[in-house]
Amino acid sequence: MAHSTETMDGPSMARQLAARFINLKFIEILMNRLIGMIVMAFSISVLVFLLIRLVPGDPVIEMLGSQAASEELAARLRGQLGLDKSLPEQYWNWITGVMHGDFGYSYGYQRPISDLVALNMPASIQLTASALFISVALGLLIGAWAAVARNRAPDTIGMGIAITFMSIPSFWLGLLFILLFAVQLQWFPVVGGTSLAGLVLPALTLGIGTMGFNARFVRSSLISTMGQNHVMTARAKGLSRPKVFFRHVMRNSMLPVLTVVGLQLGNLLSGTVVVETVFSRPGLGRLLVDAIMAKDYLTVQACVLIIALIYALSNLLVDLMYPILDPRIARR
């Protein structure tokens, strides 16, 4: 009796086993990171909930202004806002609402916080994306220029530029840009808006401030790759310098840089707090500063939690892209 069996050669079976293992590894990484994000979000929510209440001042007094002398009115408003409850009760009411997508009501702006976030988030994303492009592009150019001319004048100049901009605080750099390009040269508006002209100076301030770190990391990554065996072999085969650099050096150096870019995304988003305030630009950072000044507890808690979650999500995406860009990582 003839049996029809489906045979599989060795390479095909190895590919299927490798694909299955990579999928399991991917799921394992995803689950670990998601659990870490949940723990991180809970910790930050508790921390910001407690810290904002240590800020001197009473939000009810801030809201009432000249009417704050009325104890009855203040007590009634405190009860409406839930500020008369114990801290555990206040936190539980807030966090359960957040888990259902409700960040609460801003008593400073007199509107739902979700509406405020939806109104200001696009401007912050626009600024962060523009600054990230400037930071990565200039960092790659200066870092590659310094690595190719290692220990020569371009290397010294490039790293000098990187260290200089790393050392300048973003608020001071922003003020210098306003003085030079907006007041003296009048190329751009003093107050940054959502237009393209109003975006240039804030994006340059935020991007150039982090460009130096990217340039230094790109330089060290490229120099490390240049000394590896496969690069020396490519040179020995007679390949041209540009072909060796772009095909063998640059491609193998970008994976570590990807991690830095993921971290920079979170840093840039948190940096919008200073830059948006300096340029009087709308955004999540400006909303956070105004909420702190107004003792608007729920708005501060929502802004900090959202920024932290975006930071964690950007790092999660980087971790998940690693096995895709370099399958060797998935097999470890």
Side-chain angles (χ1 to χ4, degrees):
M1 185 175 180
H3 295 278
S4 60
T5 59
E6 191 171 317
T7 61
M8 184 180 298
D9 57 352
S12 300
M13 184 179 297
R15 282 194 296 269
Q16 285 194 6
L17 290 174
R20 184 179 302 175
F21 183 77
I22 290 173
N23 290 335
L24 291 175
K25 190 71 174 180
F26 183 85
I27 294 173
E28 180 185 355
I29 293 173
L30 179 60
M31 293 304 297
N32 290 336
R33 296 298 185 271
L34 287 176
I35 293 173
M37 282 183 58
I38 294 172
V39 174
M40 182 273 302
F42 173 75
S43 302
I44 289 179
S45 67
V46 174
L47 187 63
V48 69
F49 177 85
L50 296 176
L51 287 179
I52 187 60
R53 281 157 178 79
L54 295 177
V55 177
D58 188 341
V60 173
I61 303 300
E62 292 286 337
M63 289 180 60
L64 293 178
S66 60
Q67 298 176 334
S70 174
E71 290 291 338
E72 182 183 351
L73 182 60
R76 187 167 69 248
L77 182 57
R78 201 171 273 110
Q80 291 175 354
L81 299 175
L83 298 176
D84 58 339
K85 296 183 173 63
S86 64
L87 288 181
E89 286 183 284
Q90 291 183 45
Y91 176 78
W92 177 253
N93 292 335
W94 173 67
I95 199 64
T96 51
V98 169
M99 288 188 291
H100 290 87
D102 181 14
F103 289 100
Y105 191 82
S106 170
Y107 43 79
Y109 288 90
Q110 299 295 311
R111 61 188 304 180
I113 296 174
S114 300
D115 294 347
L116 292 174
V117 171
L119 185 65
N120 288 276
M121 181 65 80
S124 292
I125 292 176
Q126 181 191 44
L127 176 59
T128 303
S130 303
L132 182 64
F133 175 78
I134 293 172
S135 177
V136 173
L138 292 179
L140 285 174
L141 287 174
I142 295 177
W145 182 45
V148 172
R150 183 185 179 187
N151 297 328
R152 297 201 299 271
D155 186 13
T156 304
I157 295 172
M159 290 302 97
I161 294 173
I163 293 174
T164 299
F165 284 109
M166 284 175 61
S167 305
I168 300 177
S170 57
F171 70 90
W172 180 247
L173 186 61
L175 293 175
L176 290 178
F177 282 167
I178 291 175
L179 180 63
L180 177 61
F181 296 109
V183 177
Q184 298 294 333
L185 299 177
Q186 298 183 358
W187 289 354
F188 302 101
V190 176
V191 177
T194 55
S195 64
L196 182 60
L199 176 65
V200 173
L201 290 184
L204 280 175
T205 301
L206 195 57
I208 289 179
T210 57
M211 170 272 297
F213 182 79
N214 289 336
R216 289 171 61 84
F217 193 86
V218 168
R219 175 186 178 275
S220 62
S221 181
L222 289 174
I223 290 175
S224 176
T225 306
M226 287 176 183
Q228 293 182 4
N229 292 332
H230 69 277
V231 176
M232 297 180 181
T233 302
R235 289 173 179 168
K237 288 180 178 180
L239 294 179
S240 63
R241 282 194 173 186
K243 187 174 291 186
V244 171
F245 182 77
F246 288 105
R247 182 179 296 181
H248 297 281
V249 177
M250 184 66 79
R251 287 177 60 183
N252 289 281
S253 301
M254 288 302 101
L255 195 59
V257 175
L258 179 64
T259 304
V260 178
V261 172
L263 294 173
Q264 287 294 326
L265 181 61
N267 292 333
L268 289 171
L269 185 61
S270 59
T272 59
V273 175
V274 175
V275 174
E276 287 174 352
T277 303
V278 170
F279 287 92
S280 298
R281 175 185 167 85
L284 202 61
R286 178 76 183 278
L287 176 65
L288 175 59
V289 173
D290 291 343
I292 293 174
M293 299 299 293
K295 310 297 187 299
D296 193 346
Y297 291 165
L298 297 183
T299 304
V300 173
Q301 292 166 196
C303 291
V304 173
L305 185 60
I306 290 171
I307 291 174
L309 287 175
I310 294 175
Y311 188 94
L313 282 172
S314 64
N315 285 275
L316 174 64
L317 290 176
V318 171
D319 289 337
L320 297 181
M321 288 176 64
Y322 258 80
I324 299 173
L325 297 176
D326 190 353
R328 296 172 298 177
I329 296 176
R331 295 193 290 268
R332 292 176 182 173

